[in-house]
Amino acid sequence: MARQNKIKLTRGDLAFEIFNTILMVLVLIVVLYPLYFIVIASVSDSKFVSAGEVWFWPKGFHLTAYKRVFTNSKLLTGYRNTIIYTFIGTIMNLIATVAIAYPLSRKDFVGRNVITLIMTITMFFGGGLIPTYLCYKQLGLVNNPWVMMIPGLVSTYNTILVRTFFQGLPYDLQEAAMIDGCSNMRILLQIILPLSKPILAVMAIYYGVGHWNAYFDALVFISDDKYKPLALVLRDILVTATDSASGSDAAGGGSSQVDLAKTAEAMKYAVIIVSTVPVLCLYPFLQKHFAKGVMLGAIKG
Protein backbone atom coordinates (compact mmCIF):
# COMPACT_ATOMS: atom_id res chain seq x y z
CA MET A 1 0.00 0.00 0.00
CA ALA A 2 1.25 3.42 -0.89
CA ARG A 3 2.03 5.68 1.98
CA GLN A 4 -0.29 8.59 2.40
CA ASN A 5 1.57 11.84 2.09
CA LYS A 6 1.32 13.98 5.19
CA ILE A 7 0.08 17.50 4.64
CA LYS A 8 2.88 19.89 5.44
CA LEU A 9 1.87 22.91 7.44
CA THR A 10 3.06 26.28 6.28
CA ARG A 11 4.45 28.77 8.76
CA GLY A 12 1.13 30.58 8.71
CA ASP A 13 -0.81 27.38 9.44
CA LEU A 14 1.58 26.46 12.24
CA ALA A 15 1.29 29.92 13.80
CA PHE A 16 -2.50 29.67 13.57
CA GLU A 17 -2.49 26.26 15.29
CA ILE A 18 -0.23 27.54 18.07
CA PHE A 19 -2.38 30.63 18.57
CA ASN A 20 -5.57 28.55 18.70
CA THR A 21 -4.04 26.14 21.21
CA ILE A 22 -2.90 28.95 23.49
CA LEU A 23 -6.28 30.69 23.21
CA MET A 24 -8.20 27.50 24.05
CA VAL A 25 -5.96 26.82 27.05
CA LEU A 26 -6.58 30.36 28.32
CA VAL A 27 -10.36 29.97 27.85
CA LEU A 28 -10.23 26.63 29.69
CA ILE A 29 -8.38 28.24 32.60
CA VAL A 30 -10.85 31.14 32.75
CA VAL A 31 -13.80 28.72 32.82
CA LEU A 32 -12.37 26.15 35.24
CA TYR A 33 -10.57 28.39 37.73
CA PRO A 34 -13.74 29.78 39.40
CA LEU A 35 -14.90 26.21 40.01
CA TYR A 36 -11.49 25.26 41.36
CA PHE A 37 -11.43 28.33 43.60
CA ILE A 38 -14.82 27.44 45.08
CA VAL A 39 -13.50 23.98 45.96
CA ILE A 40 -10.30 25.20 47.67
CA ALA A 41 -12.10 28.07 49.41
CA SER A 42 -14.63 25.66 50.90
CA VAL A 43 -11.85 23.78 52.71
CA SER A 44 -9.80 26.83 53.74
CA ASP A 45 -9.86 28.96 56.85
CA SER A 46 -12.25 31.85 56.34
CA LYS A 47 -9.74 34.46 57.46
CA PHE A 48 -7.43 33.54 54.57
CA VAL A 49 -10.31 33.53 52.09
CA SER A 50 -11.58 36.93 53.25
CA ALA A 51 -8.07 38.37 53.09
CA GLY A 52 -7.68 37.17 49.49
CA GLU A 53 -4.75 34.89 50.32
CA VAL A 54 -6.27 31.75 48.80
CA TRP A 55 -5.31 31.46 45.14
CA PHE A 56 -4.01 28.04 44.12
CA TRP A 57 -3.92 25.92 47.29
CA PRO A 58 -6.15 25.79 50.37
CA LYS A 59 -4.82 27.52 53.49
CA GLY A 60 -5.75 26.34 56.96
CA PHE A 61 -7.24 23.15 55.51
CA HIS A 62 -10.34 21.86 57.33
CA LEU A 63 -13.67 20.20 56.55
CA THR A 64 -15.65 21.98 59.25
CA ALA A 65 -17.83 23.79 56.73
CA TYR A 66 -18.96 20.52 55.16
CA LYS A 67 -19.51 18.96 58.59
CA ARG A 68 -21.78 21.83 59.58
CA VAL A 69 -23.73 21.59 56.33
CA PHE A 70 -24.19 17.82 56.35
CA THR A 71 -24.99 17.57 60.07
CA ASN A 72 -27.92 19.93 59.66
CA SER A 73 -31.12 17.93 60.12
CA LYS A 74 -32.93 19.85 57.38
CA LEU A 75 -30.44 18.95 54.65
CA LEU A 76 -31.80 15.46 53.94
CA THR A 77 -35.33 16.87 53.84
CA GLY A 78 -34.19 19.49 51.34
CA TYR A 79 -32.48 16.88 49.16
CA ARG A 80 -35.56 14.65 49.26
CA ASN A 81 -37.89 17.49 48.32
CA THR A 82 -35.66 18.71 45.49
CA ILE A 83 -35.32 15.21 44.03
CA ILE A 84 -39.10 14.79 44.14
CA TYR A 85 -39.72 18.22 42.59
CA THR A 86 -37.11 17.61 39.90
CA PHE A 87 -38.27 14.10 38.96
CA ILE A 88 -42.03 14.64 38.99
CA GLY A 89 -41.81 18.22 37.72
CA THR A 90 -39.59 17.31 34.76
CA ILE A 91 -41.91 14.49 33.69
CA MET A 92 -44.91 16.84 33.90
CA ASN A 93 -43.01 19.50 31.96
CA LEU A 94 -42.10 17.09 29.16
CA ILE A 95 -45.66 15.77 28.84
CA ALA A 96 -47.18 19.26 28.76
CA THR A 97 -44.56 20.67 26.37
CA VAL A 98 -44.93 17.80 23.90
CA ALA A 99 -48.73 17.97 24.14
CA ILE A 100 -48.65 21.65 23.12
CA ALA A 101 -45.76 21.53 20.65
CA TYR A 102 -47.09 18.63 18.57
CA PRO A 103 -50.39 20.20 17.43
CA LEU A 104 -48.60 23.53 16.84
CA SER A 105 -46.20 21.72 14.49
CA ARG A 106 -49.00 20.21 12.37
CA LYS A 107 -49.71 21.97 9.09
CA ASP A 108 -53.39 21.02 9.27
CA PHE A 109 -53.94 22.60 12.71
CA VAL A 110 -56.05 25.74 12.21
CA GLY A 111 -55.05 28.74 14.32
CA ARG A 112 -51.60 27.48 15.29
CA ASN A 113 -49.96 30.82 14.41
CA VAL A 114 -52.40 32.76 16.58
CA ILE A 115 -51.84 30.41 19.53
CA THR A 116 -48.07 30.67 19.08
CA LEU A 117 -48.34 34.49 19.09
CA ILE A 118 -50.39 34.47 22.29
CA MET A 119 -47.85 32.16 23.94
CA THR A 120 -44.99 34.39 22.82
CA ILE A 121 -46.59 37.45 24.45
CA THR A 122 -46.29 35.73 27.85
CA MET A 123 -42.50 35.77 27.45
CA PHE A 124 -42.49 39.59 27.64
CA PHE A 125 -45.37 40.46 29.95
CA GLY A 126 -46.41 39.16 33.38
CA GLY A 127 -48.89 40.02 36.07
CA GLY A 128 -46.34 40.94 38.74
CA LEU A 129 -45.43 39.35 42.04
CA ILE A 130 -48.34 40.56 44.20
CA PRO A 131 -51.12 39.55 41.76
CA THR A 132 -49.34 36.24 41.25
CA TYR A 133 -49.19 35.64 45.00
CA LEU A 134 -52.90 36.47 45.41
CA CYS A 135 -53.77 34.16 42.52
CA TYR A 136 -51.74 31.28 43.98
CA LYS A 137 -53.33 31.87 47.38
CA GLN A 138 -56.81 31.65 45.90
CA LEU A 139 -55.81 28.39 44.19
CA GLY A 140 -54.46 26.95 47.45
CA LEU A 141 -50.88 26.74 46.17
CA VAL A 142 -49.27 28.85 48.90
CA ASN A 143 -47.25 26.62 51.24
CA ASN A 144 -48.11 23.70 48.99
CA PRO A 145 -45.45 21.51 47.31
CA TRP A 146 -47.34 21.67 44.00
CA VAL A 147 -46.41 25.34 43.72
CA MET A 148 -42.93 24.13 42.72
CA MET A 149 -44.26 22.16 39.75
CA ILE A 150 -47.61 23.40 38.42
CA PRO A 151 -47.13 27.17 37.79
CA GLY A 152 -44.06 26.66 35.60
CA LEU A 153 -45.49 23.63 33.84
CA VAL A 154 -44.77 24.92 30.33
CA SER A 155 -41.98 27.14 29.07
CA THR A 156 -42.83 29.07 25.90
CA TYR A 157 -39.20 29.07 24.77
CA ASN A 158 -38.89 25.30 25.22
CA THR A 159 -42.23 24.72 23.51
CA ILE A 160 -41.08 26.68 20.46
CA LEU A 161 -37.87 24.66 20.34
CA VAL A 162 -39.75 21.36 20.44
CA ARG A 163 -42.30 22.57 17.90
CA THR A 164 -39.50 23.60 15.54
CA PHE A 165 -37.89 20.18 15.93
CA PHE A 166 -41.18 18.42 15.16
CA GLN A 167 -41.61 20.58 12.06
CA GLY A 168 -38.21 19.41 10.83
CA LEU A 169 -39.30 15.76 10.83
CA PRO A 170 -40.53 14.40 7.48
CA TYR A 171 -44.25 15.09 7.25
CA ASP A 172 -44.60 12.20 4.80
CA LEU A 173 -44.21 9.81 7.74
CA GLN A 174 -47.28 11.28 9.41
CA GLU A 175 -49.30 11.25 6.20
CA ALA A 176 -48.41 7.60 5.56
CA ALA A 177 -49.42 6.72 9.12
CA MET A 178 -52.75 8.52 8.73
CA ILE A 179 -53.42 6.61 5.50
CA ASP A 180 -52.76 3.39 7.42
CA GLY A 181 -55.38 4.42 9.97
CA CYS A 182 -53.18 5.69 12.81
CA SER A 183 -54.71 8.17 15.21
CA ASN A 184 -52.92 11.40 16.15
CA MET A 185 -52.01 9.96 19.54
CA ARG A 186 -50.49 6.85 17.97
CA ILE A 187 -48.54 8.96 15.46
CA LEU A 188 -47.14 11.01 18.33
CA LEU A 189 -46.23 8.04 20.53
CA GLN A 190 -44.91 5.62 17.90
CA ILE A 191 -43.45 7.89 15.22
CA ILE A 192 -42.71 11.39 16.49
CA LEU A 193 -41.37 10.70 19.98
CA PRO A 194 -38.94 7.88 19.00
CA LEU A 195 -37.38 10.30 16.47
CA SER A 196 -37.22 13.13 19.00
CA LYS A 197 -34.93 11.69 21.67
CA PRO A 198 -32.25 14.42 21.26
CA ILE A 199 -34.64 17.34 21.79
CA LEU A 200 -36.39 15.53 24.64
CA ALA A 201 -33.03 15.03 26.36
CA VAL A 202 -32.37 18.77 26.00
CA MET A 203 -35.76 19.61 27.48
CA ALA A 204 -35.13 17.20 30.36
CA ILE A 205 -31.87 19.02 31.12
CA TYR A 206 -33.45 22.47 30.88
CA TYR A 207 -36.43 21.62 33.06
CA GLY A 208 -34.45 19.40 35.45
CA VAL A 209 -31.78 22.01 36.15
CA GLY A 210 -34.50 24.62 36.59
CA HIS A 211 -36.27 22.51 39.21
CA TRP A 212 -33.02 21.62 40.96
CA ASN A 213 -32.00 25.27 41.30
CA ALA A 214 -35.51 26.55 42.06
CA TYR A 215 -35.20 29.14 44.80
CA PHE A 216 -37.30 32.28 44.39
CA ASP A 217 -40.70 30.57 44.17
CA ALA A 218 -39.89 28.53 47.26
CA LEU A 219 -38.73 31.66 49.10
CA VAL A 220 -41.98 33.51 48.33
CA PHE A 221 -44.59 30.76 48.46
CA ILE A 222 -43.24 28.14 50.91
CA SER A 223 -42.67 28.71 54.63
CA ASP A 224 -43.12 25.17 56.00
CA ASP A 225 -39.74 23.49 56.52
CA LYS A 226 -41.01 20.10 55.37
CA TYR A 227 -41.69 21.46 51.85
CA LYS A 228 -38.55 23.55 51.37
CA PRO A 229 -36.24 22.51 48.48
CA LEU A 230 -32.49 22.10 48.81
CA ALA A 231 -31.64 25.62 47.60
CA LEU A 232 -33.79 27.22 50.31
CA VAL A 233 -32.50 24.88 53.03
CA LEU A 234 -28.91 25.73 52.12
CA ARG A 235 -29.80 29.41 52.16
CA ASP A 236 -31.24 29.03 55.67
CA ILE A 237 -28.09 27.21 56.83
CA LEU A 238 -25.91 29.95 55.38
CA VAL A 239 -27.95 32.78 56.90
CA THR A 240 -27.91 31.09 60.30
CA ALA A 241 -24.14 30.58 60.14
CA THR A 242 -23.54 34.19 59.04
CA ASP A 243 -25.78 35.62 61.77
CA SER A 244 -24.14 33.44 64.41
CA ALA A 245 -20.69 34.44 63.20
CA SER A 246 -21.61 38.14 63.32
CA GLY A 247 -22.99 37.69 66.82
CA SER A 248 -19.84 35.92 68.01
CA ASP A 249 -17.65 38.69 66.57
CA ALA A 250 -19.67 41.36 68.37
CA ALA A 251 -20.09 39.59 71.72
CA GLY A 252 -16.89 37.59 72.01
CA GLY A 253 -18.56 34.19 72.44
CA GLY A 254 -17.18 30.80 73.31
CA SER A 255 -14.88 28.53 71.37
CA SER A 256 -17.74 27.04 69.32
CA GLN A 257 -18.88 30.48 68.21
CA VAL A 258 -15.35 31.49 67.31
CA ASP A 259 -15.00 28.27 65.31
CA LEU A 260 -18.25 29.07 63.52
CA ALA A 261 -16.99 32.55 62.68
CA LYS A 262 -13.87 31.02 61.12
CA THR A 263 -15.94 28.74 58.88
CA ALA A 264 -18.74 31.15 57.91
CA GLU A 265 -16.97 32.26 54.72
CA ALA A 266 -16.04 28.68 53.80
CA MET A 267 -19.66 27.60 54.25
CA LYS A 268 -20.71 29.88 51.39
CA TYR A 269 -18.55 27.86 49.03
CA ALA A 270 -19.43 24.52 50.62
CA VAL A 271 -23.11 25.29 49.98
CA ILE A 272 -22.35 25.90 46.29
CA ILE A 273 -20.51 22.57 46.01
CA VAL A 274 -23.27 20.63 47.77
CA SER A 275 -25.98 22.07 45.51
CA THR A 276 -24.19 21.77 42.14
CA VAL A 277 -22.25 18.49 42.29
CA PRO A 278 -25.28 16.23 41.55
CA VAL A 279 -26.10 18.21 38.39
CA LEU A 280 -22.45 18.27 37.28
CA CYS A 281 -22.26 14.49 37.67
CA LEU A 282 -25.38 13.98 35.53
CA TYR A 283 -24.51 16.39 32.72
CA PRO A 284 -21.74 14.33 30.99
CA PHE A 285 -24.19 11.50 30.33
CA LEU A 286 -26.57 13.83 28.48
CA GLN A 287 -24.04 16.11 26.81
CA LYS A 288 -24.14 14.48 23.35
CA HIS A 289 -27.93 14.71 23.24
CA PHE A 290 -27.77 18.26 24.54
CA ALA A 291 -25.53 19.62 21.75
CA LYS A 292 -27.35 17.74 18.99
CA GLY A 293 -30.83 18.60 20.20
CA VAL A 294 -30.19 22.32 20.60
CA MET A 295 -28.80 22.62 17.07
CA LEU A 296 -31.61 20.61 15.48
CA GLY A 297 -34.29 22.45 17.42
CA ALA A 298 -32.83 25.85 16.59
CA ILE A 299 -31.98 25.78 12.88
CA LYS A 300 -34.92 23.89 11.39
CA GLY A 301 -38.36 25.28 10.64
Side-chain angles (χ1 to χ4, degrees):
M1 295 179 62
R3 292 184 178 179
Q4 294 182 351
N5 295 327
K6 294 183 179 180
I7 299 176
K8 294 183 179 180
L9 296 177
T10 64
R11 290 184 178 181
D13 292 335
L14 184 60
F16 181 75
E17 291 289 340
I18 295 174
F19 174 79
N20 270 351
T21 302
I22 295 174
L23 179 62
M24 291 299 102
V25 170
L26 291 176
V27 170
L28 183 64
I29 292 174
V30 170
V31 172
L32 291 183
Y33 179 75
L35 300 176
Y36 175 71
F37 175 79
I38 291 173
V39 174
I40 61 176
S42 67
V43 294
S44 299
D45 194 316
S46 292
K47 65 180 181 181
F48 296 117
V49 178
S50 301
E53 299 180 13
V54 176
W55 288 90
F56 301 105
W57 306 105
K59 286 190 175 183
F61 180 86
H62 64 82
L63 298 175
T64 309
Y66 287 99
K67 291 179 181 177
R68 292 190 178 277
V69 171
F70 283 107
T71 54
N72 190 289
S73 59
K74 299 179 182 179
L75 185 67
L76 291 179
T77 302
Y79 258 113
R80 182 200 65 194
N81 291 339
T82 296
I83 291 173
I84 293 174
Y85 297 154
T86 301
F87 181 74
I88 298 178
T90 301
I91 292 176
M92 293 171 62
N93 292 140
L94 291 176
I95 293 174
T97 301
V98 169
I100 296 174
Y102 175 62
L104 293 179
S105 69
R106 292 285 297 266
K107 298 178 181 179
D108 55 348
F109 180 61
V110 180
R112 61 175 183 156
N113 293 330
V114 175
I115 295 175
T116 302
L117 177 61
I118 295 173
M119 291 179 60
T120 305
I121 292 175
T122 64
M123 297 176 65
F124 305 99
F125 301 97
L129 182 58
I130 295 178
T132 300
Y133 183 88
L134 295 176
C135 179
Y136 288 4
K137 188 174 182 180
Q138 287 292 101
L139 294 173
L141 291 176
V142 175
N143 213 27
N144 186 323
W146 288 107
V147 77
M148 301 298 296
M149 294 171 279
I150 292 179
L153 192 61
V154 177
S155 165
T156 301
Y157 174 78
N158 292 344
T159 302
I160 293 175
L161 272 183
V162 177
R163 182 211 63 176
T164 305
F165 185 92
F166 288 168
Q167 288 176 337
L169 298 176
Y171 191 70
D172 295 342
L173 293 175
Q174 300 183 47
E175 290 181 334
M178 285 187 285
I179 293 174
D180 290 338
C182 287
S183 62
N184 286 322
M185 182 61 69
R186 189 173 179 183
I187 292 174
L188 175 62
L189 296 178
Q190 297 187 1
I191 296 177
I192 301 299
L193 293 185
L195 297 174
S196 305
K197 291 179 182 178
I199 196 67
L200 294 179
V202 173
M203 292 302 103
I205 294 175
Y206 281 174
Y207 283 123
V209 172
H211 284 294
W212 186 269
N213 294 327
Y215 167 75
F216 184 74
D217 286 347
L219 180 64
V220 175
F221 302 114
I222 292 182
S223 58
D224 196 330
D225 288 342
K226 65 181 180 180
Y227 297 139
K228 288 183 178 180
L230 178 64
L232 198 57
V233 171
L234 293 176
R235 177 253 185 191
D236 292 343
I237 295 173
L238 186 58
V239 169
T240 301
T242 304
D243 291 344
S244 300
S246 300
S248 65
D249 289 340
S255 59
S256 61
Q257 289 181 318
V258 174
D259 187 44
L260 181 59
K262 290 181 179 180
T263 59
E265 187 72 19
M267 284 187 68
K268 296 179 183 179
Y269 301 102
V271 161
I272 296 175
I273 297 296
V274 169
S275 61
T276 57
V277 163
V279 177
L280 291 177
C281 292
L282 181 63
Y283 178 77
F285 298 100
L286 300 174
Q287 181 185 11
K288 61 178 181 179
H289 298 295
F290 180 80
K292 183 179 179 181
V294 168
M295 292 300 296
L296 291 176
I299 65 178
K300 289 187 177 181

